[in-house]
């Protein structure tokens, strides 16, 4: 057997070793980490719904009615009325004919790509796409053609090289940089080349758009222009799982062919009930998105006033680029000493030389908590 110890030791030497934090509290701005109170700025709970009592109450009622587990895959006995209702509500929310639930965004992306493409086909992707989109391409056996981040001219050239069935897959909001894909231009490129356009809107849904409809609503794009939409439920929605939304034919094809759906136990029905509650809150309480906008604007003004250079991001994802993994870890450690939790993001999650602090905001953060973060960042500069 291979000796794994040298690999682990090398990760330590390269400042790339990781360990999970242990929380002793719900997901909210003030958390307990390993028994220590910390102010968190690294969660994806953008709207502050992960610990919302209304969502929790729907979860409890779901357990009372449906139990704690689904017991089987959707095609066996795992598909409850709660799942069916949530899928219908997600389809209506996204303006599509149907939606299909998955256990995670990773599984949803693998399902869509490997179902639509195979050997002899081509997939075009932004180089900063989420790992699940890249892995889906590899598992599909399709030819993977990547382009420099945000370079739509390079995307056009790659599409022109593509053969067989063509699909362009892209993050609506890039998870580590917080910037938006130029979806209107990519939509037109795909129309010209008769290619599918698939958008992973994990970090856009709930955050962007008039009622939280995400990147597509932000850009005023419809289901015809973007036929494949993936959204996750563990971020702005505050629960767990994911979905793919699209045409009747797309969803039926996934039901028949998608291995990561067919061979996976369904999410607990109680999660579906909780998500139905969070979806209603997400649509109705626009103040949450407005609050995020205020926090981002105040943070960017304050951080740039301290001399930090910020990439262009209008979203709750605000990266501070450190460069080396060692520097990112040092920054994270210095903030932790002040009781502020911002984890260091290092390769391979981001490209080598771009390790960073990935600061994220929740609608639940207060102005006082934001000011505390800025004071902590100012001390990094001294």
């Amino acid at each position: 057997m291979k000796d794994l110890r040298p690999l682990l030791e090398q990760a330590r030497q390269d400042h790339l070793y990781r360990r999970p934090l242990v929380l002793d509290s719900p997901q909210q701005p003030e958390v307990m980490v390993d028994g220590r109170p910390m102010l968190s700025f690294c969660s994806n709970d953008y709207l502050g719904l992960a610990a919302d009592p209304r969502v929790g109450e729907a979860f409890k009622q779901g357990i009372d009615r449906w139990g704690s587990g689904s017991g089987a895959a959707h095609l066996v006995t795992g598909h409850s009325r709660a799942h069916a209702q949530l899928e219908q509500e997600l389809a209506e929310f996204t303006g599509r004919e149907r939606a299909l639930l998955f256990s995670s965004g990773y599984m949803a992306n693998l399902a869509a790509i490997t179902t639509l493409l195979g050997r002899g086909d081509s997939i075009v992707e932004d180089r900063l796409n989420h790992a699940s989109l890249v892995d889906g391409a590899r598992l599909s056996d399709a030819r993977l053609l990547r382009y420099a981040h945000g370079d739509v001219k390079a995307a056009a050239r790659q599409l022109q090289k593509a053969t067989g069935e063509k699909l362009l897959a892209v993050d609506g909001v890039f998870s580590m940089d917080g910037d938006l894909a130029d979806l209107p231009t990519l939509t037109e490129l795909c129309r010209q080349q008769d290619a599918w356009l698939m958008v992973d809107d994990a970090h856009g849904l709930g955050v962007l758009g008039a009622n939280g409809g995400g990147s597509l609503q932000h850009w005023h794009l419809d289901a015809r222009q973007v036929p494949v939409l993936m959204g996750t439920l563990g971020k702005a929605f505050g629960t767990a799982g994911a979905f793919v939304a699209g045409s009747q034919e797309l969803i039926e094809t996934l039901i028949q062919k998608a291995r990561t759906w067919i061979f996976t136990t369904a999410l607990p029905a109680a999660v579906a009930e909780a998500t139905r509650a969070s979806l209603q809150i997400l649509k109705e309480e626009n103040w949450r998105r407005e609050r995020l906008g205020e926090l981002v604007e105040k943070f960017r003004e304050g951080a740039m006033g301290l001399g930090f250079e910020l990439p262009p991001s209008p979203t709750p994802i605000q990266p501070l680029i450190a460069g080396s993994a060692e520097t990112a870890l040092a920054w994270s450690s210095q903030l932790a000493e002040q009781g502020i939790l911002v984890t260091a993001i290092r390769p391979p999650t981001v490209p080598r030389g771009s390790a960073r602090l990935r600061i994220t905001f929740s609608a639940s953060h207060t102005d006082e908590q934001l000011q505390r973060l800025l004071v902590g960042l100012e001390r990094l500069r001294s």
Side-chain angles (χ1 to χ4, degrees):
M1 293 189 296
K2 182 177 182 179
D3 185 359
L4 301 178
R5 288 172 295 183
L7 296 175
L8 296 174
E9 182 55 35
Q10 188 63 53
R12 291 188 182 94
Q13 292 178 12
D14 294 339
H15 307 285
L16 300 178
Y17 198 83
R18 294 163 169 81
R19 70 174 185 88
L21 301 173
V22 178
L23 267 66
D24 296 302
S25 65
Q27 193 66 248
Q28 54 196 12
E30 299 280 355
V31 296
M32 294 290 292
V33 180
D34 293 324
R36 179 186 175 192
M38 300 284 281
L39 173 57
S40 174
F41 284 97
C42 53
S43 168
N44 294 328
D45 181 27
Y46 301 128
L47 299 184
L49 296 179
D52 189 286
R54 294 166 293 179
V55 179
E57 183 58 32
F59 208 151
K60 293 173 186 175
Q61 292 181 9
I63 290 176
D64 289 342
R65 179 175 181 185
W66 303 105
S68 58
S70 62
H74 286 277
L75 288 177
V76 186
T77 60
H79 193 71
S80 70
R81 180 64 59 186
H83 292 111
Q85 290 172 325
L86 175 58
E87 287 179 340
Q88 180 178 349
E89 290 163 9
L90 288 170
E92 293 170 357
F93 176 59
T94 58
R96 282 143 201 281
E97 292 179 348
R98 288 184 66 183
L100 191 67
L101 288 171
F102 286 83
S103 59
S104 72
Y106 218 108
M107 294 297 99
N109 278 340
L110 296 188
I113 295 172
T114 58
T115 298
L116 293 174
L117 300 177
R119 191 177 300 276
D121 298 328
S122 303
I123 180 167
V124 176
E125 297 200 16
D126 189 294
R127 283 201 172 273
L128 294 189
N129 271 359
H130 191 268
S132 57
L133 291 173
V134 177
D135 289 353
R138 290 169 174 164
L139 287 172
S140 73
D141 284 334
R143 181 187 182 193
L144 175 58
L145 301 166
R146 303 175 78 179
Y147 59 92
H149 177 55
D151 188 340
V152 292
K153 292 182 179 179
R157 292 193 294 270
Q158 296 293 51
L159 273 174
Q160 290 169 355
K161 295 179 186 176
T163 56
E165 193 72 24
K166 306 172 187 177
L167 182 146
L168 191 151
V170 68
D171 287 10
V173 174
F174 290 91
S175 61
M176 293 297 120
D177 290 80
D179 57 332
L180 278 60
D182 183 357
L183 294 184
T185 301
L186 295 177
T187 295
E188 178 59 22
L189 292 179
C190 289
R191 186 194 66 78
Q192 294 172 2
Q193 295 294 326
D194 191 27
W196 295 84
L197 177 57
M198 174 180 174
V199 173
D200 175 338
D201 210 23
H203 297 272
L205 280 169
V207 174
L208 300 176
N211 72 336
S215 300
L216 274 61
Q217 190 175 66
H218 172 81
W219 293 112
H220 306 291
L221 300 174
D222 58 26
R224 177 183 56 83
Q225 295 164 303
V226 183
V228 187
L229 172 66
M230 195 286 289
T232 56
L233 306 174
K235 299 175 178 66
F237 285 79
T239 57
F243 67 94
V244 173
S247 66
Q248 168 79 11
E249 292 77 14
L250 172 66
I251 300 306
E252 276 300 315
T253 302
L254 291 174
I255 290 172
Q256 305 306 318
K257 299 292 186 180
R259 294 170 64 84
T260 60
W261 186 83
I262 295 169
F263 299 106
T264 301
T265 298
L267 281 170
V271 174
E273 296 286 23
T275 307
R276 295 181 67 205
S278 69
L279 175 57
Q280 283 303 116
I281 297 169
L282 182 154
K283 291 189 296 183
E284 295 170 359
E285 297 188 358
N286 288 325
W287 68 263
R288 295 177 182 273
R289 281 174 288 281
E290 293 168 2
R291 177 60 181 157
L292 280 176
E294 293 172 1
L295 287 165
V296 168
E297 184 177 350
K298 290 178 180 179
F299 169 75
R300 291 183 67 84
E301 181 180 354
M304 287 189 285
L306 295 174
F308 287 99
E309 293 185 11
L310 298 175
S313 167
T315 70
I317 303 168
Q318 296 292 317
L320 291 185
I321 308 300
S324 71
E326 185 176 9
T327 300
L329 282 172
W331 283 2
S332 178
S333 178
Q334 290 175 52
L335 288 174
E337 290 173 2
Q338 302 173 58
I340 301 172
L341 179 64
V342 184
T343 53
I345 306 298
R346 296 158 286 161
T349 307
V350 293
R352 189 169 297 277
S354 69
R356 66 197 61 190
L357 296 183
R358 178 183 181 268
I359 296 170
T360 55
F361 291 97
S362 166
S364 298
H365 280 120
T366 66
D367 285 346
E368 291 75 19
Q369 290 169 335
L370 170 59
Q371 187 58 37
R372 185 176 161 192
L373 170 65
L374 290 172
V375 169
L377 294 178
E378 184 176 17
R379 291 174 180 169
L380 295 183
R381 310 295 283 178
S382 60

